[in-house]
Amino acid sequence: MIHYSHPCPEGRFGNQTKRTRASECTPCTRGFYCHKAGITKPTDRCYAGYYCVEGAKYPNPNDTHAGAPCPPGFYCESGYYEPAACPKGTFGPRERLTNISECVDCYGGYYCAEDGLAAPNGTCDPGYYCKRRAVLSNPVGEIYGDVCPRGHYCPAATTTPFKCPPGTYNNKTRALEPSDCISCEPGYYCEGYGLTQPTGQCDGGWYCTRGAYTKRPVPQVNQTHNNSDDFTCPLYSLNFTGGICRKGNYCPRGSSREMPCPAGMFCDRDGLSSPSNNCTAGYYCKGGDTVSNPVSCSAGYYCPEGTPVERACPPGTYLPYTGKSKESECLNCTAGYYCPLSHMTQVIFECLQGYYCPPRSVNNNTAVCPKGFSCPTGSGTPQRCLPGEYQNEEGQWRCKTCDPGYYCDPTNLDTGVVKPSNCTPGHYCPSGTKYEKEFNCSAGTYSEQYNLHEHSQCTLCPRKMFCDSAGLTRPTGLCAPGKYRNTFFVSFFIHVIF
């Protein structure tokens, strides 16, 4: 019988003798391929980008038994019998990668937490940022990422933290969105990017409403920023964030709004941090005034420097002029009149009869008229009773006529006559007698009695006696020898005279 030798089939090689069956040929070594029959060793290494398991026939197998193209997430260098996984932090986006350098770094904002990934696991968590080759979705203190720092915000898939824009700040870590950047509080400004706190208070003379990014905000330059290279504008971005304080207002350092100039003061220009000064004396400022003399003080009022309101001249005074500044310029109410109201501009009310009203009187019965005086309507002072008059009662508007038998002489008195004096002997006192000796008993008569009120009450000089002068209280003496007094003639003469 003739025996034939058979070549080892493709996918196998034979490097020994005395094989009797094909199965005794050695399967092609892993990582190699055996392309021809009857070979004594593997043809060569499998191609890069493929892996060859035992018994591979081709350098680029494409079946599940002898090998296959290197799958996504893996790489296969020449001669690999199994795929090598792309390491954590990378991924293999396609088949047939030939070496580790072809594994793609995990994109910024994404993470690749496992070996052999064909794509990133997903985006990094909000509040964190991930640079390239991130392994964790929420890295803390890693070379490839960290928590979102203060002054920034990090939405999902953030590669580099976004800076909070001018006019905002953020003093917390792990901010997620633009709205986590806090708009600068009223009265403060936030100048620049990525602030963790306000820069400072707005300058005096200016005010900052909200979101200001300069200490002297003005509408022409304080427009909303929009620079996508640095940040995304927050939803609450504002165009108007403040301005210069206008005339009639003032703005201390750190003001959030214009403050109206206070009453009693004026603010005469833009950009004031405090009021300009007090209002001018003789004028008053109601508030929000731009000049020092906005309203002249009215008649009946006075306005000291810096007054917010007119001040009324007090009762007992009046003032017919405008623009006065002191209470001392209020005029005393004229004597004989009274001024019961404040802010009177003229004198119109006369004092009541029986009373007198000195200057600055408030009531119509300021002072009761004293005894010895009279006070008709409109009296500024009591009027002393004239000679021949008296007044023994208070509160009277005229004096009484001196009674018959009395005289009323105020010559040596400080007041007018209060109590009439008895008519003295030798005299008589009709009604209204002014002086003690105004009316004498005439020559030829005398009187020893008080309170005579007419001449007929004087006593005729007795017979054999004579009364040679007026005002006698007794006869002068006896008639001389050889003389006599004709009583009838004297009586007739007196009757004719009086």
Side-chain angles (χ1 to χ4, degrees), residues 385-408:
C385 287
L386 298 174
E389 297 178 337
Y390 76 99
Q391 184 53 263
N392 60 351
E393 297 179 88
E394 292 181 339
Q396 300 302 309
W397 66 277
R398 65 181 177 180
C399 295
K400 300 175 181 178
T401 301
C402 207
D403 297 329
Y406 295 86
Y407 69 91
C408 298

Side-chain angles (χ1 to χ4, degrees), residues 120-384:
N121 292 101
T123 59
C124 282
D125 292 346
Y128 297 83
Y129 68 95
C130 297
K131 300 178 183 178
R132 298 174 69 87
R133 299 182 66 89
V135 174
L136 298 175
S137 63
N138 53 355
V140 178
E142 300 291 345
I143 192 170
Y144 56 79
D146 205 344
V147 296
C148 201
R150 296 189 304 162
H152 299 74
Y153 64 96
C154 301
T158 295
T159 301
T160 301
F162 294 97
K163 296 176 182 178
C164 286
T168 68
Y169 71 97
N170 173 26
N171 56 8
K172 297 179 180 179
T173 59
R174 295 183 173 86
L176 311 181
E177 301 175 353
S179 59
D180 289 329
C181 294
I182 302 168
S183 186
C184 215
E185 285 88 354
Y188 290 83
Y189 71 100
C190 298
E191 187 172 33
Y193 304 96
L195 296 181
T196 60
Q197 61 184 9
T199 308
Q201 290 183 316
C202 284
D203 273 0
W206 276 260
Y207 64 97
C208 299
T209 53
R210 180 176 288 276
Y213 50 88
T214 175
K215 59 187 174 183
R216 294 185 174 187
V218 290
Q220 289 81 356
V221 300
N222 213 45
Q223 300 300 313
T224 304
H225 287 266
N226 185 11
N227 184 343
S228 59
D229 292 337
D230 292 305
F231 62 89
T232 300
C233 272
L235 297 176
Y236 50 79
S237 292
L238 303 173
N239 281 327
F240 183 78
T241 61
I244 190 169
C245 236
R246 296 167 295 175
K247 285 196 304 183
N249 301 274
Y250 73 103
C251 298
R253 186 169 181 266
S255 291
S256 60
R257 58 181 178 83
E258 293 178 299
M259 301 179 67
C261 211
M265 308 188 85
F266 68 97
C267 300
D268 61 353
R269 64 182 186 277
D270 293 341
L272 288 176
S273 60
S274 60
S276 301
N277 213 328
N278 289 330
C279 273
T280 302
Y283 298 84
Y284 67 99
C285 297
K286 298 178 180 180
D289 292 293
T290 60
V291 294
S292 64
N293 55 350
V295 187
S296 180
C297 217
S298 306
Y301 296 85
Y302 65 96
C303 297
E305 179 183 321
T307 186
V309 293
E310 296 178 299
R311 299 186 184 181
C313 285
T317 67
Y318 72 103
L319 186 59
Y321 312 111
T322 61
K324 297 303 179 181
S325 62
K326 295 178 287 188
E327 184 178 347
S328 61
E329 293 180 287
C330 299
L331 304 177
N332 288 335
C333 199
T334 306
Y337 292 81
Y338 68 100
C339 299
L341 307 174
S342 61
H343 61 79
M344 291 186 68
T345 59
Q346 57 183 337
V347 173
I348 56 175
F349 302 113
E350 285 189 304
C351 203
L352 282 178
Q353 64 180 21
Y355 298 86
Y356 67 96
C357 298
R360 207 179 177 88
S361 288
V362 176
N363 301 311
N364 61 0
N365 57 352
T366 302
V368 66
C369 203
K371 295 177 181 180
F373 294 86
S374 65
C375 298
T377 300
S379 293
T381 57
Q383 299 178 19
R384 189 179 182 189

Side-chain angles (χ1 to χ4, degrees), residues 390-471:
Y390 76 99
Q391 184 53 263
N392 60 351
E393 297 179 88
E394 292 181 339
Q396 300 302 309
W397 66 277
R398 65 181 177 180
C399 295
K400 300 175 181 178
T401 301
C402 207
D403 297 329
Y406 295 86
Y407 69 91
C408 298
D409 182 6
T411 302
N412 296 319
L413 301 177
D414 294 330
T415 66
V417 175
V418 175
K419 181 179 179 182
S421 300
N422 291 319
C423 201
T424 56
H427 306 84
Y428 67 97
C429 299
S431 176
T433 298
K434 301 174 183 176
Y435 310 112
E436 178 186 8
K437 298 179 180 181
E438 183 178 2
F439 300 99
N440 297 318
C441 284
S442 60
T445 66
Y446 72 97
S447 174
E448 297 176 337
Q449 299 177 347
Y450 289 88
N451 302 111
L452 300 184
H453 58 83
E454 57 184 25
H455 187 270
S456 62
Q457 292 177 308
C458 295
T459 303
L460 293 174
C461 208
R463 292 184 181 187
K464 300 181 180 182
M465 302 188 79
F466 69 94
C467 299
D468 62 355
S469 61

